[in-house]
């Protein structure tokens, strides 16, 4: 995905376009960046649905927000489980009817800072790529047609950028924006998982750091670009945001900034006024949390 020439954080919204009737969903939000995004949206007056795959942890997160005087809604959602997605969307449709903002934040990684294992590659791909894809497709009919436009923000990673890919054939396919298709993205995933099963993944030009996680984000970035192009004329914005090296459980508590810092940037990107709202872009937060051109 291309990055926007103008830093979206350099200008403030000229008017507050959202209200308590603006509905946002944040996945994987019982902790970390997801939790901080829910809190920030709630502080700004949106109606927010917090989801988590563990009900107890999700409800604990809701209680913590209530203790701060914030009201949010909760429903269990495991994005790696299609039946869980179906149950969630059915509940959401009955309860709210329409959505304005979707933040696909839920993701997993089984690597630490010094490890690169693909032992859980299937789980990583299902959670980080197919999960957001299936959830997004299930919610697309529910996006509200409004002057402010619908917004999808996929929390991604610079590990999934094309410059991390050394397989020239696959890189060429993903770079061809005119011909890129969902089938080609899924074929890439199938090829990667086959390389994992055959033990040939190290020599096939896949990303070298957190390989399975990087491939899942590579696919998510490509799908986001495809989706942005498909719905550009329908008032739906689709962008990716890399929060940078953030102190969360996924990084073992290491990082250059907090989850609250990253969420502040993510929320501002999701809430840009329509006249400044991009689509099909990839934003990355540096250590200073300023989105930069790649």
């Amino acid at each position: 995905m291309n990055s926007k020439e103008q830093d979206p954080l350099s200008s403030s919204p000229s008017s507050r376009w959202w209200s308590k009737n603006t509905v946002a969903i944040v996945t994987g939000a019982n902790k970390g960046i997801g939790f901080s995004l829910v809190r920030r949206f709630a502080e700004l007056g949106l109606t927010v649905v917090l989801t988590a795959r563990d009900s107890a942890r999700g409800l604990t997160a809701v209680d913590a927000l209530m203790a701060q005087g914030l009201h949010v809604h909760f429903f269990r959602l495991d994005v790696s489980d299609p039946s869980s997605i179906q149950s969630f969307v059915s509940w959401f449709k009955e309860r709210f009817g329409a959505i304005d903002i979707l933040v696909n934040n839920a993701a997993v990684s089984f690597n630490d800072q010094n490890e690169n294992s693909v032992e859980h590659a299937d789980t990583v791909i299902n959670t980080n790529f197919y999960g957001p894809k299936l959830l997004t497709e299930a919610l697309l009919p529910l996006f509200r047609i409004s002057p402010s436009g619908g917004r999808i923000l996929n929390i991604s990673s610079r590990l999934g950028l094309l410059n991390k890919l050394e397989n020239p054939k696959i890189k060429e396919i993903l770079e061809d924006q005119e011909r890129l298709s969902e089938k080609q993205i899924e074929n890439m995933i199938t090829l990667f998982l086959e390389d994992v099963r055959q033990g040939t993944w190290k020599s096939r030009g896949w990303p070298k750091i957190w390989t399975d996680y990087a491939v899942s984000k590579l696919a998510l970035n490509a799908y986001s670009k495809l989706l942005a192009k498909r719905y550009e004329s329908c008032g739906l914005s689709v962008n990716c945001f890399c929060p940078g090296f953030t102190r969360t459980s996924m990084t073992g508590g290491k990082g250059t900034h907090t989850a609250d810092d990253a969420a502040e940037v993510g929320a501002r990107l999701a809430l840009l006024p329509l006249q400044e709202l991009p689509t099909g872009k990839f934003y990355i937060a540096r250590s200073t949390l300023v989105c930069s051109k790649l």
Side-chain angles (χ1 to χ4, degrees):
M1 301 178 77
N2 297 320
S3 59
K4 189 173 173 62
E5 294 283 348
Q6 179 182 0
D7 179 2
L9 304 183
S10 64
S11 58
S12 300
S14 57
S15 63
R16 178 187 171 112
W17 62 265
W18 64 89
S19 71
K20 66 178 181 181
N21 296 320
T22 304
V23 181
I25 296 173
V26 183
T27 68
N30 62 285
K31 61 180 180 178
I33 295 172
F35 177 80
S36 293
L37 273 166
V38 168
R39 178 166 56 199
R40 189 66 186 125
F41 284 147
E43 288 172 346
L44 291 169
L46 285 75
T47 293
V48 194
V49 179
L50 181 157
T51 80
R53 61 181 175 178
D54 185 289
S55 293
R57 292 177 180 177
L59 291 171
T60 297
V62 171
D63 288 343
L65 293 170
M66 289 182 63
Q68 299 173 35
L70 301 172
H71 176 71
V72 302
H73 303 268
F74 171 74
F75 197 88
R76 180 186 176 275
L77 172 61
D78 181 352
V79 298
S80 68
D81 180 1
S83 63
S84 179
I85 291 176
Q86 183 178 13
S87 296
F88 170 75
V89 173
S90 295
W91 169 83
F92 180 84
K93 183 177 181 179
E94 181 177 350
R95 177 66 178 79
F96 297 97
I99 177 177
D100 299 283
I101 300 170
L102 170 62
V103 181
N104 283 309
N105 170 73
V108 296
S109 174
F110 295 89
N111 294 298
D112 60 30
Q113 298 301 306
N114 302 309
E115 181 184 16
N116 188 30
S117 169
V118 294
E119 181 181 355
H120 303 283
D122 285 284
T123 298
V124 172
I125 295 295
N126 285 335
T127 304
N128 299 1
F129 170 61
Y130 283 113
K133 181 177 184 294
L134 291 175
L135 178 63
T136 298
E137 290 172 351
L139 287 170
L140 278 173
L142 301 182
F143 269 91
R144 196 189 315 273
I145 300 176
S146 68
S148 57
R151 293 118 189 276
I152 298 174
L153 186 64
N154 291 324
I155 306 301
S156 188
S157 171
R158 58 186 169 187
L159 294 178
L161 292 176
L162 285 174
N163 62 8
K164 308 297 182 183
L165 187 63
E166 297 179 1
N167 186 310
K169 184 176 181 180
I170 296 176
K171 192 171 184 177
E172 181 181 0
I173 291 173
L174 295 180
E175 286 178 331
D176 190 345
Q177 298 185 24
E178 295 301 319
R179 298 183 181 181
L180 184 64
S181 67
E182 288 184 38
K183 184 65 175 177
Q184 289 174 317
I185 297 171
E186 292 183 357
N187 284 345
M188 178 195 70
I189 290 293
T190 299
L191 180 60
F192 169 66
L193 293 176
E194 183 61 28
D195 285 344
V196 169
R197 283 188 284 271
Q198 294 183 358
T200 58
W201 58 278
K202 289 185 178 180
S203 62
R204 296 298 294 272
W206 299 108
K208 298 184 182 303
I209 300 175
W210 283 24
T211 302
D212 51 5
Y213 180 84
V215 171
S216 72
K217 296 301 186 179
L218 183 71
L220 181 62
N221 291 344
Y223 174 68
S224 300
K225 180 167 56 180
L226 192 67
L227 205 63
K229 182 179 178 181
R230 183 179 301 164
Y231 290 97
E232 185 172 11
S233 62
C234 302
L236 180 63
S237 168
V238 185
N239 295 296
C240 287
F241 171 57
C242 171
F245 192 27
T246 309
R247 294 195 289 273
T248 65
S249 59
M250 188 176 289
T251 63
K254 299 178 181 179
T256 58
H257 50 264
T258 68
D260 286 348
D261 293 330
E264 174 68 23
V265 179
R268 292 177 68 186
L269 286 172
L271 295 173
L272 283 171
L274 185 61
Q275 64 270 24
E276 297 177 31
L277 185 64
T279 190
K281 307 298 180 182
F282 183 99
Y283 293 99
I284 182 168
R286 304 294 187 185
S287 60
T288 53
L289 287 176
V290 175
C291 291
S292 303
K293 180 180 177 181
L294 296 177

